[in-house]
Structure formats: C-alpha cells, structure tokens
Amino acid sequence: MGPHPAVAAIRLAVRRVLHDVLTDHTTGDEPLVLVACSGGADSMALASALAFEARKLPVRAGGITVDHGLQDGSDTRAAEVAGRMTALGLTPAEAVAVTVGREGGPEAAARDARYAALDAAAERHGATAVLLGHTRDDQAETVLLGLARGSGIRSLSGMAAVSGTSGRYRRPFLQLDRQTVRKACIAQELAVWDDPHNSDPAYTRSRLRHEGLPALEKALGKGVVEALARTAQLSRDDADALDTWAADAETAVRDEAGALECAKLFGLPPAVRRRVLRRAVIAEGAPAGSLFARHIEEVDRLITGWRGQGAINLPGRVEARRQGGRLVIRQG
C-alpha cells in the first residue's frame, strides 16, 4: 500500500523542486538543499518530504531553524526543532539565533532578520537552495495584504515559487492547501509546534487568517483561496510583461545624450511610464524599499500634469525636475 494521499502530494511537490535544482546545478558535488523549519506543521511536513526524497537522489539535505528570541524559552524550542530535523536524517540541522529590529513593524522586522539568517546559513554551508513551507493559503493571505496596501499588481502577485539570489529560495507547497500539508503531518505522526504569534491578533496576517479569510469564505464560498492564488499567478505574469516592456521602452524615451524626453514618456501607457520612472529614480540612488506609489505619481505629474511645478524631493536625497522638455533626475 502506498503512502497517505497527503504524504504523496507533499513528496511529489518536493521531488519536482529537487529535480529542478539538479537540472540547474553545474558543479560536480552533490548539491546541498536546506529546509527553513520553524517546527510548525507546514515546515515540518516540508522537512519530512525533503529528508525522504533526498535519500533517493544525488542531493544532500539539511535544515535551519531560526530563533527570533521573541518569546521566553525560544532557544529551547529552536534546539528541539533542530533535534527533530536531525531525527529525520537532515545534516546539517542547526538552530540560528537572531536579533529582531524594529524597522517596518514587528512582522516585517522578524521576516527581515529571518531571511538574513537564512542567507547567511546558505552561504556558510554552500547550499544551492533553501526550501520554504509557504502554502496556497499563505499565498492567498499575501494577495489580500497586497490588495489592502493598494500598491499595484506586483503586490498582488504574491510570493514567487523561485526567488532570492540565483533562485535560492524555493516554495514547493505554493500549489498545495494548508489542510493537505497538515494532514501529511498527522499521517506521519510528526510532532509539530504552533507559534502563538500565528494566532496573536496583534499581527495583521494572523487577523487575516483567523477572521478575514474565514469571513470571505463564508460570504463567497470555499474557492476563494484557490482564486486568490490564481490571481497571484496571473498578476505575476502581467507584472513581468510590463517590467520587460518598461526595460525596452527605457532606451526609446531617451535622447542621444541619454536624457529622458517628456514628450516620448507622455506617449507611453501609464503602467509602463511609471515603471520607467521608478527604474530611473532607483538608478540615481533612491532606495527601492522607501519608494512608494505616491512618489512615482508625483514624478509622473511632471510629465502628465505640467504646470511649472518645482523639483520633487524623493527618498535617498534624489530630486526630479522638468527642464526644457527633459526630465532630470539626480542625487542632491
């Protein structure tokens, strides 16, 4: 008799990613694939599937758990999770402690600290890939958060199946729902730990998970999560196409000296023009993370709503001004 259907589903998802890693891998050594494991159901299921599939392929499998230090006893908890990964056969299996800052709110600060630690661990061990346990439900939540921010289709495109430096981060479970992944844990009798932050109403994502999405499902039916995940993929395709168009348009709207011509910018569709402007502002030194839609809209008005307005100050001491039919962007 074969494995439980949920177990078969998580293993197949991981096998596909490992085959991709092996196809992309160029050096002679067996590639090392790490799983980022919090000890929760999603990441423990991922760790178990990685350990199982790696035994059948020329792949080494390890795991990293990050101790955010935000709760009493978190170091003990992280050591327990590392022990569970070792028991699954993952090597290395290590716990890494981080200090969480305050930038951008508690969720963003914890996420930044976590990814910095995972990047450092991947470099230290020479890992080819790091697997993350985000499910289709996580994707739906990400799309809703992007929708609430009102910051365009890139924020509706959710999490990518492959992201990070050289495609380091892989999310095998993006097509699987949370329930399937949890069933796989039960079927394998995996010990899991649920982070109390996941049900803490102080966290936006937690409120969305426990109140927002259930209310949407009640009003619109169970297909909401799948539809939101599909929206993410369609939005990602559209955003990628517009980014490519903007990269091509960038050379066409400059004169021989390389200056941006306002008349040519005016002729572009707004979605493409704003991308060209954003790229130009970042190229002059504005930090991408501090550049919001309202900044780009102000610069856009120099093209579309010109009334002789003065220079616009942007993050990173960058300013944009219109001069003799040209858009001049420079750092002050």
Side-chain angles (χ1 to χ4, degrees):
M1 200 174 84
H4 185 283
V7 176
I10 64 166
R11 287 176 179 173
L12 176 61
V14 168
R15 193 180 319 144
R16 284 177 174 149
V17 169
L18 293 183
H19 280 302
D20 288 347
V21 168
L22 284 166
T23 305
D24 297 346
H25 189 65
T26 48
T27 62
D29 305 336
E30 286 192 350
L32 172 64
V33 176
L34 297 173
V35 59
C37 187
S38 66
D42 303 345
S43 61
M44 280 303 295
L46 185 56
S48 73
L50 173 62
F52 181 84
E53 292 297 330
R55 285 197 289 270
K56 304 188 290 182
L57 293 166
V59 173
R60 290 177 298 132
I64 304 290
T65 187
V66 178
D67 170 17
H68 297 85
L70 297 175
Q71 297 151 351
D72 289 340
S74 64
D75 52 343
T76 311
R77 173 70 52 201
E80 277 176 25
V81 174
R84 284 178 195 165
M85 291 193 291
T86 301
L88 287 169
L90 299 178
T91 310
E94 67 176 30
V96 181
V98 297
T99 305
V100 175
R102 296 176 179 277
E103 193 104 357
E107 289 164 288
R111 187 177 61 244
D112 290 347
R114 181 165 60 252
Y115 279 102
L118 292 173
D119 276 334
E123 299 289 344
R124 191 167 63 249
H125 293 292
T128 303
V130 178
L131 306 189
L132 303 171
H134 298 118
T135 63
R136 192 167 69 185
D137 297 69
D138 294 307
Q139 185 74 300
E141 290 159 15
T142 304
V143 173
L144 282 175
L145 288 167
L147 189 61
R149 277 198 302 272
S151 48
I153 60 165
R154 182 54 76 188
S155 73
L156 297 186
S157 63
M159 295 175 282
V162 180
S163 62
T165 313
S166 308
R168 168 179 290 158
Y169 291 109
R170 314 276 177 137
R171 296 178 172 88
F173 292 170
L174 274 189
Q175 307 294 326
L176 297 178
D177 60 41
R178 191 176 285 146
Q179 203 177 2
T180 299
V181 176
R182 308 248 148 146
K183 279 179 184 167
C185 283
I186 294 164
Q188 297 177 100
E189 298 179 352
L190 289 174
V192 299
W193 169 70
D194 277 315
D195 185 344
H197 282 168
N198 288 341
S199 53
D200 185 341
Y203 293 90
T204 315
R205 190 179 280 269
S206 171
R207 290 197 302 274
L208 192 55
R209 180 172 301 177
H210 295 284
E211 299 165 32
L213 259 175
L216 271 177
E217 286 188 331
K218 192 176 175 186
L220 301 173
K222 279 287 184 191
V224 168
V225 166
E226 195 178 349
L228 286 166
R230 197 162 56 248
T231 296
Q233 188 54 57
L234 293 170
S235 298
R236 180 168 297 280
D237 292 345
D238 288 354
D240 287 348
L242 287 165
D243 285 347
T244 304
W245 188 352
D248 292 344
E250 206 166 356
T251 47
V253 295
R254 292 182 185 272
D255 63 16
E256 297 78 19
L260 288 164
E261 295 188 62
C262 294
K264 287 180 179 173
L265 282 166
F266 187 84
L268 292 174
V272 178
R273 183 175 61 244
R274 287 193 195 114
R275 280 170 166 75
V276 170
L277 296 176
R278 183 180 165 79
R279 287 167 64 98
V281 169
I282 290 169
E284 289 302 324
S290 309
L291 205 56
F292 301 124
R294 59 185 168 80
H295 292 127
I296 302 305
E297 280 162 19
E298 277 189 74
V299 178
D300 198 36
R301 276 195 287 275
L302 294 176
I303 312 295
T304 60
W306 176 240
R307 301 179 313 281
Q309 57 265 50
I312 289 158
N313 295 314
L314 299 161
R317 300 195 331 278
V318 172
E319 65 167 40
R321 67 168 72 241
R322 181 166 173 150
Q323 252 174 338
R326 302 284 184 274
L327 185 68
V328 179
I329 302 167
R330 62 165 64 105
Q331 204 163 32

